[in-house]
Structure formats: structure tokens, C-alpha cells
Amino acid sequence: MSLRALLNPLWCRLGRPLRTATRGLQPSNIAKESPLLLQNRGFASKKHKFILKHSKGFRGRAKNCFTIAVRKVHKAWQYAYRDRKQQKREWRKLWIQRVGAGFRQYGWSYSRAIHELPKHNIQLNRKVLSELASNEPFAFKAIVDVLEHQHQHQQQNAQQPGDTNQEKSAA
């Protein structure tokens, strides 16, 4: 049964024609005089609106047909969840490539440089190092110089004879 067939007897009881000069129904008059037409839509309606709001931009009936939109929106949320994880992996791979390229310019391998950073109390993560390598070459060079200086200093200390432990064990 159509809405017009349902509303026509109600409008006739109120003594008004179904169509007015402004064309269409006037909800303000209906709301005041007929409590039957003031139905509160429940949770299902909210759920439908929520799903259809999230299905905007989908192709075909997936944008306006709830049963199809529900499946498409849930699948879209699955893809979004998966891709948030993949995005983090992709960024980390990019940072590693940039840092590796920056260190290779100065004769260092990526793995050796990353291993040496915490030893020399340089607490920069891959994201910051990649930004320095790509946008601030002089700052990145300063980090490499610190690594080289500390590494040479370590090697000199390791090569010096007269280690106190050896003297104690000989005595």
C-alpha cells in the first residue's frame, strides 16, 4: 500500500486536501495532529544510515542498497585494516633504502652503520635518518663523521699494547 493511500483518509478527516498550493505534504501539520505518523525509527535505521554513509562513492547498487552495501563496506574495512599494516611496512622499507643509500655514499654498509649507532649513543630512528639522508646531507655527513671518528678511536684502543688484564695474568 502506498503512502498516499495511507495518508488520504487522514487528510480527509482533517478537512484538508492531499495536495496544497505548495505541492506536497506539510509535515508540520501532520506532526501536530496525528501521532500515528510520528514513528521513531529504531536501531536498524541508524545502522542502515551508518552503512550507507560509509558506502558513498561505491559503484552500482552498493552505494544505495543496504544488503549489498553491508558486504561491500565490511570488505572495505577489512582492506583498510590490512593496508594500514602494509603501509607501515612500506614506509619502513623506504626509510631503510634511503638510509642505506646515504651510508653507502660514505663507504658504510647499512647493517654496520645501524649496528654502530647505539654503541656511540646516537639515538636516531630510521625515519629521522632517512629524512636527514634525503633532505639534510650535511647533517647526515656529520653523523657519519661521528661514527667514523668513534670507530677509529675504538680500533686504536683495541690495538694499543699493554693491556692491564694481560699484565695481571702474566704476573
Side-chain angles (χ1 to χ4, degrees):
M1 190 173 242
S2 70
L3 181 64
R4 184 181 182 128
L6 287 173
L7 292 178
N8 207 8
L10 188 70
W11 278 94
C12 291
R13 264 191 259 137
L14 295 174
R16 295 187 184 108
L18 185 58
R19 296 231 178 237
T20 61
T22 58
R23 294 199 60 183
L25 302 175
Q26 295 176 344
S28 59
N29 293 340
I30 296 172
K32 289 177 189 171
E33 298 176 17
S34 74
L36 293 176
L37 294 176
L38 284 178
Q39 294 178 1
N40 288 335
R41 307 254 347 231
F43 178 73
S45 177
K46 290 177 186 167
K47 186 169 87 170
H48 285 217
K49 285 179 188 173
F50 180 78
I51 293 293
L52 291 174
K53 185 180 92 174
H54 282 86
S55 68
K56 281 201 174 192
F58 289 5
R59 296 186 64 158
R61 289 195 305 163
K63 68 178 167 282
N64 53 14
C65 180
F66 175 75
T67 52
I68 298 170
V70 146
R71 284 177 267 161
K72 298 289 184 178
V73 166
H74 286 180
K75 193 65 180 177
W77 288 341
Q78 286 177 357
Y79 287 138
Y81 177 82
R82 178 198 68 190
D83 292 341
R84 281 194 297 273
K85 312 296 179 218
Q86 285 184 346
Q87 186 181 33
K88 292 173 180 70
R89 287 181 225 145
E90 294 296 322
W91 276 108
R92 185 179 165 92
K93 286 196 306 192
L94 178 66
W95 297 334
I96 289 171
Q97 287 174 352
R98 285 181 180 172
V99 171
F103 280 124
R104 274 192 302 275
Q105 286 179 341
Y106 302 109
W108 283 73
S109 71
Y110 169 80
S111 59
R112 190 172 126 223
I114 289 293
H115 179 70
E116 292 290 324
L117 285 172
K119 282 185 178 179
H120 306 304
N121 203 20
I122 299 174
Q123 298 176 346
L124 296 175
N125 60 16
R126 288 162 181 83
K127 180 180 179 180
V128 173
L129 284 171
S130 76
E131 284 297 314
L132 291 176
S134 60
N135 299 329
E136 302 287 339
F138 294 114
F140 191 77
K141 174 67 173 140
I143 292 170
V144 173
D145 290 342
V146 168
L147 282 179
E148 287 177 351
H149 176 71
Q150 296 286 343
H151 190 66
Q152 288 172 356
H153 184 68
Q154 256 184 350
Q155 286 179 343
Q156 288 173 358
N157 288 343
Q159 292 174 356
Q160 288 178 351
D163 192 10
T164 56
N165 292 335
Q166 290 176 354
E167 291 173 4
K168 287 180 183 176
S169 62

